[in-house]
């Protein structure tokens, strides 16, 4: 198996996990639209430099006009705008959720594990688009619900955070994002990522000027987390995700990307001194187990097909 894809996805999980720390820090200074517009445009600018470098080295995969193999400019624009629109909604819900948490909540770890539920949501959404899920997926949903209860509602439904609801909705958005990306795996990953970031950035910019009153002094105060989110999370990680999904088994990809929740909790603990209660940690463990369970049917099926393929090859 080619190790390039899994390595890129592991790096992606680390960068995304640490991004929760950056987002939590930035939430103290700037509002969601302002933060997302800033990070998206920085990420797009970073990718413009990457594309220029790829052109000089001959590694750039430009769109074709018509005919032949490859992808067209129309495919790039349609795919990038579609991915960017979904990313805009999901990232806004996530950042608004993070901003809504009270100061004493372990925001990075909590939001990281709730966001990771998008891996379960991918399988659930498949039910509505004609894909019959494996029975283990329903078990995963049940485990996820129990985990969410311990993580978010240990003291009763009246004490659930509004941020939990928003981040859960963001998990649904990221699940849709995964499904949309899967329709455009034939398009160059770096160029697709740049278009999606520009799309999300423009939409965030419109929202910023309509609903927020950005103070540039506060933007400068949040410069480090914005730069990290723009370059590392948007510019590098989203591109690594798109590139790696083109060559990596979807189940392996999902499992590796779900590790972002673990790195989010570690980052919150090491950098922001956040601490989850034992009950919340138990909830996190159940959520992570649900994410793993949701990927097991594909893992089992892929292993079965590989064994069958090896058996056929051995008889020839």
């Amino acid at each position: 198996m080619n190790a390039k894809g899994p390595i890129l996805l592991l790096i992606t999980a680390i960068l995304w996990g640490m991004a929760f720390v950056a987002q939590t820090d930035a939430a103290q200074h700037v509002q969601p639209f302002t933060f997302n517009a800033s990070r998206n445009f920085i990420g797009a600018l970073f990718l413009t430099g990457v594309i220029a470098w790829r052109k000089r080295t001959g590694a750039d995969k430009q769109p074709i006009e018509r005919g032949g193999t490859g992808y067209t400019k129309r495919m790039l624009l349609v795919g990038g705008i579609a991915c960017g629109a979904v990313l805009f909604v999901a990232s806004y819900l996530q950042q608004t959720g993070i901003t809504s948490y009270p100061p004493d909540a372990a925001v990075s770890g909590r939001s990281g594990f709730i966001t990771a539920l998008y891996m379960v949501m991918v399988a659930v959404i498949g039910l509505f688009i004609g894909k019959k899920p494996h029975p283990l997926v329903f078990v995963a949903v049940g485990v996820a619900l129990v985990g969410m209860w311990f993580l978010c509602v240990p003291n009763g439904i009246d004490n659930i955070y509004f941020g939990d609801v928003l981040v859960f909705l963001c998990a649904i958005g990221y699940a849709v994002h995964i499904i949309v990306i899967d329709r455009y795996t034939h398009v160059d990953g770096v160029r697709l990522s740049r278009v999606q970031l520009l799309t999300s950035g423009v939409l965030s910019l419109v929202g910023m000027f309509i609903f927020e009153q950005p103070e540039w002094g506060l933007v400068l105060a949040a410069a480090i987390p914005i730069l990290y989110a723009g370059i590392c999370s948007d510019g590098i990680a989203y591109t690594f995700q798109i590139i790696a999904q083109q060559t990596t088994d979807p189940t392996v990809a999902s499992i590796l990307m779900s590790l972002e929740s673990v790195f989010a909790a570690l980052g919150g603990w090491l950098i922001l001194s956040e601490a989850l209660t034992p009950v919340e940690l138990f909830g996190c463990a159940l959520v992570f187990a649900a994410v793993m369970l949701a990927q097991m049917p594909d893992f089992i099926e892929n292993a079965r097909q590989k064994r069958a393929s090896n058996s056929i090859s051995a008889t020839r």
Side-chain angles (χ1 to χ4, degrees), residues 26-27 29-36 95 99 208 211-214:
H29 304 284
V30 293
Q31 293 175 286
F33 282 129
T34 302
F35 175 75
N36 286 336
Q95 190 61 23
T99 305
M208 180 184 77
F211 300 106
E212 299 175 357
Q213 295 179 330

Side-chain angles (χ1 to χ4, degrees), residues 29 43 45 59 62 84 116 119 134 143 180 203-205 214 237 248 263 268-269 273 285 287 292:
H29 304 284
L45 181 62
Q62 299 185 38
M119 295 300 176
H134 191 278
V143 174
V180 174
L203 293 173
S204 297
L205 191 67
T248 306
F263 292 116
W269 175 59
S273 300
V287 168
M292 296 296 103

Side-chain angles (χ1 to χ4, degrees), residues 20 93-94 97-98 101 106-121 144 147-153 160-175 258 260-262 264-265 276 280 283-284 287-288 291:
F20 282 96
L93 288 169
Q94 184 183 65
I98 288 173
Y101 280 110
V107 180
S108 298
R110 190 185 194 94
S111 58
F113 275 96
I114 296 175
T115 300
L117 285 171
Y118 72 87
M119 295 300 176
V120 180
M121 297 299 172
M148 284 284 289
W149 179 268
F150 282 105
L151 178 59
C152 304
V153 205
I160 190 171
Y161 294 135
F162 181 55
D164 292 332
V165 177
L166 292 176
V167 176
F168 178 74
L169 292 175
C170 120
I172 298 175
Y174 280 125
S258 69
E260 70 173 291
S261 59
V262 177
L276 293 160
E280 289 172 334
C284 289
V287 168
F288 191 73
V291 171

